[in-house]
Amino acid sequence: MSRTERLLDILQILRRHRRPVSGAVLAQETGVSLRTLYRDIATLQSMGAEIDGEPGMGYVLKPGFLLPPLMLSPTEIEALALGLKWASQRTDAPMGEAARNAMAKVGAVLPPELRHRFEDDALAVIPHWEATEREDLPVIRQALGEERKLLLGYADQHGARSERVVWPITVGYMDATQILAAWCELRGDYRHFRVDRIEHVSLLPERMPRRRRDLQKEWRDTILQNRPSEPS
C-alpha cells in the first residue's frame, strides 16, 4: 500500500466512527507502526484535515471534512456510477433528475483516467420493468426530511380502502415498487405500505411526536423479532 492510499484509508476509518479512535486501532487497520501512524496523522492535519486528538486519547475527524471525488479509487468510482445509474432509472422523476445532475457534476471534476471508468457502461442497470410516474414519492421524501405526518389513502392487497395517518420512517426501493415503513396511528403499530397502492397522499402540518431516528431503531428491532405485514 502506498503512503497516499494509507492516508486515505486513515480518513475513511475516521469517517466511519463518531467517537475517537485510538492510534493503536488505526495503526493495526493500516498495517503500520504506531510511530508511523502518528506521523501520518500529523501529515493529514498539515494538509487541512480537521483531526482532533492526541496520542493516548484517540482521534476524531470533525464533521464536514469531505474528500473530493478525484480521490476516490477506481472501484469506488464504479460503485458510485452504478448507484447513480440505478437512482436515475428506478426512482421518481425529481430523484432521477437529481441523480443525472450528480453524475454530470462528478464527471466534470474527475481526472481523465477516472472519468473513463465513471462513464463506462461495463456495469449497467438493465431495465426489466416499466417505470411509472409516482408523484407521491417527493411528498413522502419531504415528510421524511421534515419529520411530519402523512395522510394516506390506501388500498390493501385485497382491495379494501382506508385512510391512515402515519409517521413515515423510511422508503425501501425494490425493483418493481417501493415500500413505505411507517407507524400507523390507526393500528398503533408499525406497518409497511406499498407505494403503488397509495391512492393519494397529503403532507400534514403536524410534526411527528417522536424523532424519526428513534422510530427507525425501534422499527428495526421490531422487524427482527416479528416482521410487520402489509396494513390490515
Side-chain angles (χ1 to χ4, degrees), residues 33-101:
S33 68
L34 199 53
R35 178 178 295 182
T36 299
L37 185 279
Y38 291 151
R39 286 201 298 265
D40 288 345
I41 292 291
T43 298
L44 287 169
Q45 290 171 330
S46 69
M47 295 169 61
E50 296 188 69
I51 300 175
D52 283 345
E54 58 186 39
M57 300 297 293
Y59 299 93
V60 62
L61 182 65
K62 286 186 178 181
F65 181 79
L66 301 176
L67 293 174
L70 58 84
M71 297 179 72
L72 297 174
S73 71
T75 303
E76 289 170 337
I77 288 292
E78 289 180 344
L80 179 61
L82 185 62
L84 288 172
K85 289 174 186 176
W86 191 96
S88 71
Q89 299 180 31
R90 302 294 177 88
T91 56
D92 55 279
M95 182 67 78
E97 182 178 0
R100 289 186 289 273
N101 288 340

Side-chain angles (χ1 to χ4, degrees), residues 13 42 68 84 141 153 187 190 216 221 229:
I13 294 168
L84 288 172
R141 287 203 307 275
R187 300 303 181 195
Y190 293 102
Q216 281 182 326
D221 293 341
S229 60

Side-chain angles (χ1 to χ4, degrees), residues 44-195:
L44 287 169
Q45 290 171 330
S46 69
M47 295 169 61
E50 296 188 69
I51 300 175
D52 283 345
E54 58 186 39
M57 300 297 293
Y59 299 93
V60 62
L61 182 65
K62 286 186 178 181
F65 181 79
L66 301 176
L67 293 174
L70 58 84
M71 297 179 72
L72 297 174
S73 71
T75 303
E76 289 170 337
I77 288 292
E78 289 180 344
L80 179 61
L82 185 62
L84 288 172
K85 289 174 186 176
W86 191 96
S88 71
Q89 299 180 31
R90 302 294 177 88
T91 56
D92 55 279
M95 182 67 78
E97 182 178 0
R100 289 186 289 273
N101 288 340
M103 289 186 70
K105 291 177 180 178
V106 172
V109 299
L110 290 174
E113 64 275 11
L114 289 180
R115 187 182 305 119
H116 171 74
R117 296 287 288 269
F118 186 71
E119 297 175 348
D120 191 2
D121 284 332
L123 302 179
V125 178
I126 306 300
H128 64 278
W129 62 288
E130 185 174 349
T132 58
E133 183 66 27
R134 299 298 313 184
E135 296 181 358
D136 38 24
L137 278 171
V139 178
I140 292 172
R141 287 203 307 275
Q142 182 180 353
L144 289 167
E146 298 177 3
E147 297 191 343
R148 289 165 61 181
K149 296 182 181 182
L150 286 171
L151 175 64
L152 304 182
Y154 193 76
D156 67 17
Q157 56 189 330
H158 304 296
R161 290 177 168 81
S162 63
E163 283 202 341
R164 310 290 184 98
V165 174
V166 303
W167 311 348
I169 299 171
T170 189
V171 174
Y173 285 80
M174 305 173 70
D175 277 345
T177 188
Q178 298 83 34
I179 302 293
L180 168 66
W183 174 268
C184 177
E185 290 189 354
L186 178 66
R187 300 303 181 195
D189 201 357
Y190 293 102
R191 289 292 186 269
H192 288 167
F193 299 85
R194 281 186 50 155
V195 172

